[in-house]
Amino acid sequence: GLRSNVLHTPSTNESYQLPIAQENIFLFTGSIYGMRSPINLFKAFQMLLKEKPDARIIFVGEMLYLDSMKKILTEEECKQIDIEPYTSNLEPYYRRAKVLLDIDANLDEDPFLSSKITNYIKANRIILCETGRKTPSREIFSGYKTIIQCDHSVDSIYNGMIQALELAATEQDYSEREPLIEIFSTPHVCSILWNDLQEICSTTQQ
């Protein structure tokens, strides 16, 4: 029988080589809803503000948890979170941010890989990935110094935020991501698809 394969969505973003950001800003791009919940992120951020009161989170895109945010955070703490409409021109936001946030569904075995992280890896910014214990993110991105992974607990997210800011304050070797960038490149994904199609055609002709 035919074997199965997984094709990753290729990254279409350009690469960004930006100077070290000066503000303690975390950036999330895209929509956040359903099982992809920021509730524990808000709680961890509240803890972080006690240590770093200048920290901010910017959401660029749809964020359907405003009511939850206002219940968790004080009015003053809410002022440290910005929600902007989505734009395809993310370079100004990448430039300001020290850390790029990726939030997977609140499941231990979420089968899906966020498409945003495949774009994040092309920016010289620390990535903080909130994910389950058995996920594609764990499998693909473990072991990279510039990609920090945490689980969905408040303490784990808080510790990840602290670690991310510490790393982002100094120069890092983002060239470690070059193999990842290749995996998610359009030519690489297309070559896998082409080889699979050739195998299918060869098998059906036998």
Side-chain angles (χ1 to χ4, degrees):
L2 293 175
R3 63 178 176 81
S4 62
N5 204 350
V6 175
L7 283 177
H8 298 299
T9 302
S11 170
T12 55
N13 267 26
E14 60 182 291
S15 296
Y16 297 101
Q17 297 298 319
L18 305 169
I20 293 176
Q22 300 305 306
E23 300 175 88
N24 290 327
I25 291 177
F26 295 82
L27 173 67
F28 181 94
T29 66
S31 299
I32 185 161
Y33 56 87
M35 293 294 291
R36 184 180 291 163
S37 166
I39 288 176
N40 283 353
L41 173 66
F42 294 148
K43 294 177 181 178
F45 184 61
Q46 188 173 51
M47 294 168 61
L48 180 70
L49 286 174
K50 291 179 172 60
E51 184 168 342
K52 297 187 181 294
D54 64 331
R56 303 191 70 83
I57 299 178
I58 300 176
F59 291 94
V60 180
E62 189 174 24
M63 205 280 282
L64 301 182
Y65 285 86
L66 280 175
D67 289 342
S68 298
M69 181 184 79
K70 293 175 181 177
K71 288 178 182 177
I72 294 167
L73 303 177
T74 67
E75 185 176 348
E76 286 301 307
E77 290 167 342
C78 285
K79 292 178 182 179
Q80 298 302 110
I81 295 181
D82 299 322
I83 301 172
E84 304 285 349
Y86 187 77
T87 174
S88 58
N89 180 22
L90 294 171
E91 190 271 341
Y93 295 102
Y94 284 151
R95 184 173 293 276
R96 291 183 61 196
K98 272 189 178 174
V99 181
L100 306 179
L101 291 172
D102 184 48
I103 303 174
D104 286 341
N106 194 359
L107 298 168
D108 272 347
E109 299 186 25
D110 178 16
F112 299 106
L113 179 68
S114 165
S115 60
K116 69 175 55 59
I117 197 170
T118 67
N119 292 322
Y120 284 173
I121 60 175
K122 298 172 77 173
N124 59 334
R125 291 292 185 258
I126 297 297
I127 298 169
L128 176 59
C129 178
E130 178 191 333
T131 190
R133 291 181 300 173
K134 295 181 180 180
T135 65
S137 288
R138 291 281 187 192
E139 181 179 345
I140 297 171
F141 301 114
S142 290
Y144 289 88
K145 182 181 178 182
T146 60
I147 303 176
I148 299 167
Q149 295 182 316
C150 60
D151 61 38
H152 297 292
S153 70
V154 175
D155 286 343
S156 183
I157 298 168
Y158 166 75
N159 290 331
M161 295 177 94
I162 291 289
Q163 183 184 358
L165 287 179
E166 289 175 351
L167 285 176
T170 58
E171 293 286 351
Q172 299 296 325
D173 182 12
Y174 292 96
S175 66
E176 68 166 356
R177 296 180 187 172
E178 289 176 1
L180 289 175
I181 293 171
E182 171 60 22
I183 288 172
F184 293 102
S185 70
T186 300
H188 181 76
V189 174
C190 287
S191 70
I192 294 174
L193 176 60
W194 176 246
N195 290 336
D196 286 351
L197 290 174
Q198 285 185 311
E199 181 179 338
I200 291 170
C201 291
S202 173
T203 302
T204 56
Q205 289 173 1
Q206 292 177 0

